[in-house]
Amino acid sequence: MGCDKGFSSSYMLLKPEEVKFFDLIRILFSSNVEKRKLLVWLGSGFEMWLNLVSLNQNVARLILNFFQGKVVKPDKTSEMFVSFIGNLDKRMNLDTNIKFGDPRYYGSLSMMASKASYENTAYIQNIVNHHWKMECLGTYDFWNEYLEKPSTQAFLLRDKGNDHETIVVAFRGTEPFDAEDWCSDFDISWYELSKVGKIHGGFMKALGLQKNLGWPKDIQAQNDTDLDREQQNRPATAYYAIRDKLRELLSKNDKANFILTGHSLGGALAILFPTVLVLHEDDFLLERLEGVYTFGQPRVGDGQFGEFMTKKLREHKIKYFRFVYGNDMVPRLPYDDKDLLFKHFGTCFYFNRHYHGKIVEEEPNKNYFSPLGAVPMMMNAFCELAYQLIVHKIMLMPHD
């Protein structure tokens, strides 16, 4: 801990390259690029296999197509290529029963946008423009000053009707085989900001924290913030680029607003974005921010930070909803204990394995690995597995 040149009153910095904790962690944080590439290669190969099987309908059909010389080969840049996350849930269309004006509308749209954020540009453009009948404004890969490479992805879309115009900013979450994403998640460094509280360092770095500067209102010209300009040196950092793009878009329509969303790591970035707007006293964007909708979001700060942001969101009439499903580990990390100090805030919609939802102050078994929660957690997991097997078997049964 110590003083960080005026940016924060105190901080705790983790040096990932010095961490010695399990082989997986050593791979994720290793300064040896080849070790990180191994994880990427494994993930890429697995995704290619999933898409190869899917495009050829099934394994049996794939084998038949192979002998007939008719194998359909995956193209990672194609709108037909689906990520590992996307293969877990292949829905593409919005719920037609939920229209604009329905209290569930923004949450439903945010859920699908968060899911789509894991996909490639062609897929996102196709699903937004053709399936949702909205306008894809761009997909972006943002620079991380601390990793010194792009590590943060997001896309923007415009939902426009006769009576509304909403810009949706969807941050991509942690990809299972992306070492840089895991570095951000496991980097539990924190910075304490005066009168604000302690904030997760890894998430702030992914959003665009500037080395030795923190969060200046404007950054130097070499950190280009124009999303549409040719990137000659390096991509822009997420916060500054998205902020400037939103200003440009919203200034064209006084009635337009925007929402922020994301799953997992993306959810953390979604709620930290208005935090920096508050630090910069950016009333123009804060007044146009309709809400923040996160899914499986980890904790991003301590109790003081939660109280600070709860007050600020209320002042600007900004809705903030956290959606948590069952025993998802991510919303229960980092720990809410006397050592790590991280705490949730905001309205939590908790859904059990039967998809019955309710508003709770804190999701059950808040620290996941607590001894008291281990037995019911395992029983719940067994019941959920049995339920899914039964449902799958029923779906395969012939129907008259």
Side-chain angles (χ1 to χ4, degrees):
M1 296 178 62
C3 181
D4 190 12
K5 299 181 180 179
F7 150 52
S8 62
S9 55
S10 66
Y11 59 84
M12 179 188 75
L13 297 181
L14 174 69
K15 293 184 177 180
E17 67 276 9
E18 296 180 5
V19 173
K20 297 185 188 227
F21 177 67
F22 298 141
D23 290 340
L24 174 61
I25 308 304
R26 286 201 295 269
I27 290 174
L28 294 178
F29 290 122
S30 174
S31 57
N32 187 333
V33 176
E34 294 304 317
K35 290 184 179 180
R36 292 188 181 182
K37 283 184 178 179
L38 175 62
L39 188 65
V40 175
W41 289 338
L42 288 173
S44 179
F46 188 48
E47 283 187 342
M48 288 294 287
W49 168 252
L50 290 174
N51 280 272
L52 184 64
V53 172
S54 178
L55 289 173
N56 290 277
Q57 299 182 19
N58 52 56
V59 175
R61 186 70 179 180
L62 171 62
I63 296 173
L64 180 62
N65 286 350
F66 174 77
F67 286 108
Q68 294 179 342
K70 298 180 180 178
V71 173
V72 182
K73 298 179 181 179
D75 176 0
K76 296 193 72 170
T77 63
S78 165
E79 65 187 43
M80 301 298 293
F81 191 92
V82 184
S83 69
F84 171 76
I85 297 295
N87 271 284
L88 298 177
D89 181 356
K90 292 191 174 183
R91 287 176 299 167
M92 298 180 71
N93 297 316
L94 300 175
D95 189 336
T96 56
N97 295 317
I98 303 177
K99 307 290 185 182
F100 179 79
D102 188 314
R104 301 170 296 171
Y105 181 76
Y106 284 136
S108 177
L109 176 58
S110 294
M111 176 185 68
M112 293 300 289
S114 295
K115 189 174 86 70
S117 67
Y118 287 93
E119 309 304 331
N120 64 47
T121 297
Y123 181 100
I124 293 174
Q125 290 176 341
N126 176 55
I127 195 174
V128 172
N129 296 334
H130 302 298
H131 288 262
W132 303 352
K133 305 301 179 184
M134 298 176 186
E135 180 186 0
C136 179
L137 299 172
T139 61
Y140 307 102
D141 197 3
F142 297 110
W143 187 258
N144 185 317
E145 287 282 306
Y146 291 78
L147 294 177
E148 297 185 345
K149 63 190 302 182
S151 73
T152 302
Q153 293 73 36
F155 80 93
L156 279 67
L157 69 85
R158 184 184 353 240
D159 172 23
K160 190 173 183 179
N162 295 328
D163 55 350
H164 72 282
E165 179 179 339
T166 302
I167 307 300
V168 180
V169 180
F171 291 95
R172 195 198 73 183
T174 302
E175 286 196 340
F177 304 103
D178 190 324
E180 311 307 339
D181 286 352
W182 287 106
C183 283
S184 294
D185 294 339
F186 279 93
D187 181 1
I188 56 173
S189 306
W190 51 257
Y191 293 92
E192 182 172 11
L193 306 186
S194 178
K195 300 181 181 180
V196 175
K198 299 181 177 71
I199 308 176
H200 190 290
F203 298 150
M204 286 208 292
K205 294 169 186 176
L207 186 60
L209 185 71
Q210 301 295 295
K211 282 186 178 180
N212 300 320
L213 296 174
W215 292 110
K217 284 191 176 182
D218 295 292
I219 52 180
Q220 296 177 355
Q222 60 263 31
N223 293 346
D224 188 10
T225 61
D226 186 355
L227 288 175
D228 301 317
R229 186 174 171 184
E230 182 70 18
Q231 303 292 335
Q232 296 180 355
N233 298 319
R234 64 185 185 188
T237 51
Y239 167 77
Y240 294 97
I242 294 173
R243 179 196 66 180
D244 290 356
K245 189 65 177 178
L246 286 171
R247 286 175 178 171
E248 174 192 337
L249 294 167
L250 297 174
S251 63
K252 297 176 181 178
N253 183 353
D254 292 340
K255 296 183 180 180
N257 58 18
F258 73 102
I259 61 175
L260 300 162
T261 189
H263 167 255
S264 184
L265 166 64
L269 301 181
I271 188 56
L272 285 180
F273 188 90
T275 299
V276 187
L277 292 179
V278 168
L279 296 177
H280 292 165
E281 300 179 340
D282 194 332
D283 290 339
F284 174 76
L285 288 182
L286 287 169
E287 295 302 324
R288 307 291 280 276
L289 176 54
E290 178 70 21
V292 182
Y293 301 82
T294 70
F295 303 86
Q297 173 213 311
R299 299 182 177 99
V300 298
D302 66 357
Q304 181 185 356
F305 170 74
E307 293 174 1
F308 173 82
M309 282 305 297
T310 297
K311 177 182 177 182
K312 293 300 180 179
L313 293 174
R314 187 181 298 119
E315 288 177 359
H316 292 281
K317 300 179 181 178
I318 299 170
K319 303 180 184 71
Y320 171 37
F321 299 109
R322 289 191 304 110
F323 293 85
V324 177
Y325 173 70
N327 286 310
D328 184 356
M329 179 191 295
V330 178
R332 296 166 169 87
L333 297 173
Y335 275 3
D336 175 359
D337 60 17
K338 63 181 181 180
D339 295 317
L340 293 181
L341 307 173
F342 289 93
K343 292 185 178 296
H344 273 309
F345 66 100
T347 302
C348 177
F349 280 96
Y350 173 76
F351 292 84
N352 62 21
R353 70 173 186 272
H354 300 295
Y355 300 101
H356 297 153
K358 61 180 179 179
I359 297 177
V360 296
E361 183 175 346
E362 181 78 49
E363 53 270 17
N365 190 18
K366 68 178 183 178
N367 282 331
Y368 197 78
F369 290 114
S370 64
L372 293 177
V375 173
M377 182 181 66
M378 287 187 289
M379 290 180 62
N380 183 75
F382 176 79
C383 292
E384 184 166 333
L385 176 61
Y387 173 76
Q388 294 298 332
L389 291 174
I390 292 171
V391 169
H392 181 68
K393 188 173 183 179
I394 292 174
M395 291 178 67
L396 292 178
M397 291 176 62
H399 297 279
D400 295 332

